Amino acid sequence: MQIPYTVEERPDTGLYNAKLGIWLFLASEVMLFGALFSSYVLLRTGDPGFMTIPHGIAEHLGGHEGAMRWSQVLSVPLAFGNTLVLIFSSVTMVLSWVSLRLKDFGKYKLYMGLTILCALGFMVIKAIEYNAKFAHGLYPSAGNFLAVYFTLTGLHALHVVGGLVVNGYLWGPGAKMWKTDPERFTNRVEVAGLYWHFVDLVWIFLFPSLYLL
Amino acid sequence: MSGHTVEEIEQEKRKYWVVFIALVALTAITVGVSYLHLSTGAAVFIALLVACVKGGLVAGVFMHLISERQAIYAILVLTAVFFVVLMLGPSFTRMGGVVG
């Protein structure tokens, strides 16, 4: 059976089906991250001591209670680096789609490959960050701020892994479709790109609210 | 979708790089401002303002929302309404106290 509207636009929506589908999915993603973000705002504004590191942990980290805030244990340089990596990967992602529209498959492979490398780079930096926390016994159970930090950044990192899987497929075995159905393949890359830009967008809000404020 | 001729697509590519540079600059501004030790209100306002501009650039240009179909705008208006309700939720809530 032929799947309808993979390339041509549906007359009622003016869109091919996958595009409508990905936007509906992204709408649900906004609610998922929105609920967690809202919880963070509620906890942070509701508890005056939310950002203060308890005495025992502060002493262990070489400071003292009252003077040390949870945001101080997070690495701004690493998160800044990760922000640049994700922004760059968004450009390479959109350029991979543009390359297909220009019928340049070689450039597509290059830009999609770069996007995948950036995603891997993001995960490596994230692993370094997490390891530095774990080495000091800073687990989600250490405090509400860390619980929020690990939940939000962990869920975001899972989304990066999801993007890696899809982009890896479109770069590798899935790229065979370029020979048989190039327009449909181009649309697949566009839809994967919309998801990837959303992952970038979430990080744009997570970075200042967790690391800088 | 805008841009179907090769020239138009080439122009699109330049636009993407310009947005990339703007996003890097705005990220540097956010980090720079955080070292100024502003009052909490000002810091939150500036950080979220810059994040909204960056988010707008990503959604508008990379996700090409600037020129999309009505159906997508309809989905997003509904999403925005529910998102605002979610974000306003905490201000309608009276906390009995949270243990850190």
Side-chain angles (χ1 to χ4, degrees), chain B residues 2-19:
Chain B
S2 64
H4 289 293
T5 69
V6 173
E7 289 75 31
E8 279 171 333
I9 297 175
E10 288 295 339
Q11 211 174 348
E12 236 182 81
K13 274 164 80 172
R14 278 190 290 278
K15 189 172 68 183
Y16 294 138
W17 283 114
V18 169
V19 170

Side-chain angles (χ1 to χ4, degrees), chain B residues 18-96:
Chain B
V18 169
V19 170
F20 168 68
I21 292 164
L23 288 172
V24 172
L26 286 167
T27 306
I29 287 171
T30 319
V31 176
V33 167
S34 74
Y35 287 107
L36 294 178
H37 301 294
L38 299 171
S39 67
T40 309
V44 170
F45 177 75
I46 293 173
L48 289 184
L49 182 71
V50 176
C52 285
V53 173
K54 286 167 72 182
L57 283 172
V58 170
V61 181
F62 289 161
M63 300 169 90
H64 32 86
L65 268 187
I66 290 172
S67 53
E68 261 306 347
R69 302 282 186 211
Q70 287 289 328
I72 289 175
Y73 292 143
I75 294 169
L76 289 180
V77 166
L78 205 61
T79 311
V81 170
F82 283 112
F83 182 75
V84 167
V85 172
L86 262 184
M87 285 300 127
L88 289 179
S91 51
F92 297 133
T93 309
R94 291 283 172 273
M95 297 278 287

Side-chain angles (χ1 to χ4, degrees), chain A residues 70-82:
Chain A
W70 279 118
S71 50
Q72 282 175 264
V73 304
L74 303 184
S75 169
V76 173
L78 285 180
F80 177 61
N82 252 351

Side-chain angles (χ1 to χ4, degrees), chain A residues 10-172:
Chain A
R10 250 181 87 115
D12 51 356
T13 61
L15 301 159
Y16 60 91
N17 278 354
K19 195 162 179 179
L20 183 68
I22 193 75
W23 274 109
L24 284 170
F25 172 68
L26 293 182
S28 77
E29 290 277 87
V30 168
M31 301 315 287
L32 172 64
F33 279 102
L36 289 170
F37 199 79
S38 179
S39 308
Y40 171 42
V41 174
L42 176 68
L43 289 167
R44 188 159 174 170
T45 54
D47 174 17
F50 183 73
M51 293 304 289
T52 310
I53 300 181
H55 185 60
I57 300 172
E59 228 174 26
H60 174 70
L61 295 170
H64 50 84
E65 190 182 11
M68 274 197 92
R69 287 165 62 79
W70 279 118
S71 50
Q72 282 175 264
V73 304
L74 303 184
S75 169
V76 173
L78 285 180
F80 177 61
N82 252 351
T83 307
L84 297 184
V85 168
L86 266 198
I87 291 172
F88 182 68
S89 78
S90 251
V91 187
T92 54
M93 185 81 210
V94 80
L95 289 177
S96 72
W97 172 61
V98 166
S99 302
L100 289 180
R101 286 161 64 208
L102 290 169
K103 317 273 181 245
D104 189 342
F105 187 70
K107 279 269 176 67
Y108 159 74
K109 289 283 268 191
L110 171 73
Y111 284 126
M112 187 56 110
L114 281 172
T115 309
I116 293 165
L117 284 178
C118 284
L120 287 170
F122 182 92
M123 291 308 294
V124 168
I125 294 174
K126 185 69 35 196
I128 293 169
E129 250 192 289
Y130 276 14
N131 268 326
K133 306 286 166 294
F134 298 154
H136 289 100
L138 298 175
Y139 296 101
S141 56
N144 279 341
F145 175 79
L146 281 187
V148 169
Y149 162 79
F150 279 112
T151 305
L152 279 170
T153 58
L155 183 67
H156 177 265
L158 276 178
H159 279 75
V160 173
V161 172
L164 254 172
V165 171
V166 173
N167 289 346
Y169 173 74
L170 291 173
W171 185 82

